[in-house]
Structures are given as structure tokens and as C-alpha cells.
Amino acid sequence: MKVEGFKYHGTNKVYYAYYKDGKWDEGKLDSSLHFEISAMAVALHYGQSVFEGLKAYRAKDGRTLLFRPDANAKRLQNSCERLLMPKVPVEMFLDAVHKVVEANKDLVPSYESKGTLYIRPFVIGTETVMGVRSSNEFLFCIVATPVGNYFKDGFKPIDLTTTPYDRAAPNGLGHVKSGANYAASLYPKHLAKQQGFDDCLYLDPKTHTKVDETGATNIIAIKDNMFITPQSKSILPSITNNSLQTIAEKMLGMEVIRRAIDVTELSTFDEVGACGTAAVITPISKIHDNGVNYEFKSYEKLHKLYDLIQSIQFGDIKEDFGWVIEV
């Protein structure tokens, strides 16, 4: 199977589990993508909604592989805690992911296509509520669909522009994978595209002088033999970025540095890229900021990192980190 673009391409089975009276039910697979929800559900009015994103990969020998699903389970728990939602137990999360992948195994794209089965777990507040408060009833759902590249041309450079808008407050939800953060990014990205850019780059919400992330990816930079990535409370802790840091240090012998990055420091970097589950690594050719263009011509080390993480995810090379799990 070959699919084009990062969009919904259908599914076989969806997983649903409900939380009521202080506990999760056993959960089940269903063939319908649709479910009934109250028009007054907390998720619809007050944004009590969190989600995750991970992928299943088709190895060259036909095996179906998952990459660090336990890390997604733990990050979802952190998101649930911040939004006052019941945590999905790690064992329940992993079991549900395995069930969904098994039920949709025939939809995993071929090894040759380099497509993947994108897996979208989410938790939403479903109770009928009028006043502003947490729901006491929740839905945990997982949908899986085959996808192609997030950005149109895969490992091809993109152009970004900084924006005066913020995706998160200094002590807000920036570190949480909540629907609210992505809603906040829609309009600034729309404006960036109108100006001819692929996406916008958010600066720190307090001073607008330091690099944060795009609406859907972390930022990484290469300087000499250093792997540098911004550190901030308003940045989502990317599992892909975390994995790349390990690969850079353990497999390429690079020095990994996590610190604040002033936007003017962009002029000193050799390579800059965007990374995340959907995008993997996408090189950045230009970042525009208040009339100044920071341009990057080299993508050599980013490409090495990209090749290594993809080789691990598709099972081409064995890793010693316990990341890859066969379904």
C-alpha cells in the first residue's frame, strides 16, 4: 500500500474505552469512526482534551513495528494530570495500541513506500456540564490510519517565519499535548502561509526573543559537532527530539546541549531542522524574523540523524535502547 500526504486515509477498527464512576471500562474495538457525545460535553466547551501521536512501521521482512509506545503512554499521563483527567494506565494504553495495530495491520504501508500507520490516541471529557469544571466522565479512543509525509516533499527544506502570536502562555499548557495548543496555532500558521512560508516559528511567550517551536514540531540545530535544542517550559517534550538526542550522542558522538536559544543566534548555526513524530526531521532553509533572513545551506548531519532514526524505526538496524517493539 502506498499513500500520499499526511491525511486521513480510512481505518478498519477504532478503540473506545469509557471512564465513569471512578474507573475505566475494559474498552473494545468498533468498526465505526463515529461516536455519540453530549452537545454540552466539557471537551466541546472548555477544551478538556489531550492526545498523542505515534506510528507503526512495516519492516523489510514484513514485521510490524512500534517505536517507543511506552513514552507516548507516559506523556499522555502527564497531559491528563495537567488537565485534571484520569490517567490511562500504561498497560491499558499499550494493550489498546496493540489491538488497534493488529486490527489495522493490512493498512500499514509497504516498507518500500516509507509510509506508516499513524496512531492517534486521545482522551476527552464527555460529561454534560454547564459551569466551568472538570468532567467526571471521559472517553479514551485510538484511531489509526495510513499516512505519507507530513510536509509535502518529505526531507525537503522548508521556510519559516517568526510570529507575534503565542501558542502558549509562559506557565500555561505549552508542555502538554492538548488540543488548545493546536487551536492556538491555526491562525498564525494561516498568516504564515499567506506570506509564502510553510509554517511559523514561535518565540518564547514572555520576551519574544528566544526560539521555542513551530505549532507541531520541536526545533533542533547543528553547530560544529553540537546538537542544540531549545529548553523551555512552553515547549512540548518531543519523543522524536529526545530520541534524536540519544542517537546524536550515542551513535554520532555529538555533544547534546539543551538551553535557551536567542533568535539572533540563528545566524551562527550550520543546520536547523524541525522534528516530531509526524515530520520525523524536516530541514529548514530559511527563518524570517522582523525583516532579517537566517538562511541554512547544509543539511548533512540532519540527514544522518534522519537516516539513523528511520533505519531504527523500520527495523533496518538494531538498537540497544529498547525502543522498537514488534506487534
Side-chain angles (χ1 to χ4, degrees):
M1 172 184 287
K2 184 176 181 180
V3 292
E4 299 290 340
F6 191 83
K7 57 185 178 181
Y8 180 71
H9 289 283
T11 193
N12 293 336
K13 296 284 186 179
V14 181
Y15 177 90
Y16 298 102
Y18 290 89
Y19 182 93
K20 190 174 183 180
D21 299 326
K23 61 182 179 180
W24 291 103
D25 66 19
E26 291 184 358
K28 65 177 183 178
L29 293 172
D30 195 286
S31 58
S32 176
L33 185 67
H34 305 283
F35 57 86
E36 187 175 292
I37 190 172
S38 167
M40 293 301 295
V42 179
L44 300 179
H45 296 265
Y46 305 127
Q48 197 173 25
S49 159
V50 297
F51 69 98
E52 273 301 319
L54 63 158
K55 294 176 177 177
Y57 306 80
R58 180 81 71 193
K60 197 171 187 178
D61 59 9
R63 291 176 300 147
T64 302
L65 307 175
L66 292 170
F67 182 74
R68 303 190 67 184
D70 55 323
N72 291 96
K74 292 168 186 173
R75 189 170 66 179
L76 183 68
Q77 286 192 330
N78 291 336
S79 296
C80 285
E81 183 176 26
R82 177 63 177 82
L83 269 74
L84 204 59
M85 307 168 84
K87 292 180 180 180
V88 177
V90 171
E91 298 77 12
M92 179 182 180
F93 180 96
L94 295 177
D95 178 65
V97 168
H98 277 256
K99 285 177 178 174
V100 169
V101 175
E102 281 283 3
N104 293 281
K105 237 179 185 179
D106 62 313
L107 298 182
V108 182
S110 67
Y111 169 83
E112 291 74 20
S113 74
K114 293 305 177 187
T116 56
L117 184 73
Y118 187 80
I119 305 160
R120 169 55 56 81
F122 64 89
V123 182
I124 59 173
T126 56
E127 186 185 1
T128 298
V129 169
M130 180 64 77
V132 180
R133 68 164 173 82
S134 172
S135 176
N136 289 312
E137 298 174 2
F138 299 86
L139 167 64
F140 169 45
C141 178
I142 303 180
V143 181
T145 187
V147 297
N149 292 319
Y150 183 78
F151 288 107
K152 185 178 177 182
D153 299 313
F155 194 86
K156 297 288 184 181
I158 60 172
D159 294 342
L160 304 179
T161 180
T162 58
T163 173
Y165 291 92
D166 297 319
R167 60 174 284 277
N171 292 305
L173 298 176
H175 63 294
V176 175
K177 202 165 178 67
S178 68
N181 291 337
Y182 294 81
S185 74
L186 298 178
Y187 184 64
K189 182 174 182 177
H190 168 72
L191 295 179
K193 282 184 168 289
Q194 283 189 328
Q195 297 169 42
F197 297 95
D198 296 285
D199 205 341
C200 57
L201 174 65
Y202 294 95
L203 303 179
D204 73 290
K206 190 171 184 178
T207 70
H208 274 223
T209 61
K210 298 176 179 62
V211 173
D212 258 15
E213 63 176 6
T214 75
T217 62
N218 275 192
I219 295 295
I220 57 178
I222 307 296
K223 182 177 182 179
D224 299 324
N225 201 44
M226 295 180 289
F227 178 111
I228 306 168
T229 191
Q231 190 169 36
S232 163
K233 289 182 179 179
S234 56
I235 294 176
L236 183 75
S238 163
I239 294 166
T240 302
N241 191 348
N242 177 266
S243 304
L244 290 170
Q245 291 172 37
T246 299
I247 291 170
E249 183 179 6
K250 304 295 184 183
M251 301 180 74
L252 295 180
M254 300 178 71
E255 181 184 0
V256 173
I257 301 171
R258 294 170 288 271
R259 62 168 173 79
I261 298 174
D262 193 281
V263 68
T264 59
E265 192 183 349
L266 289 170
S267 63
T268 70
F269 294 140
D270 303 321
E271 308 175 35
V272 176
C275 70
T277 297
V280 190
I281 299 178
T282 300
I284 296 169
S285 57
K286 179 174 70 176
I287 296 176
H288 176 83
D289 176 57
N290 290 322
V292 178
N293 287 325
Y294 300 97
E295 298 188 5
F296 313 97
K297 305 295 185 183
S298 171
Y299 316 115
E300 180 184 355
K301 288 187 177 176
L302 287 177
H303 211 306
K304 283 184 180 179
L305 288 163
Y306 175 86
D307 287 343
L308 281 170
I309 194 168
Q310 286 272 272
S311 294
I312 291 171
Q313 290 169 332
F314 281 94
D316 294 330
I317 60 176
K318 290 187 177 181
E319 44 82 24
D320 299 320
F321 313 119
W323 289 345
V324 177
I325 297 171
E326 183 177 352
V327 178

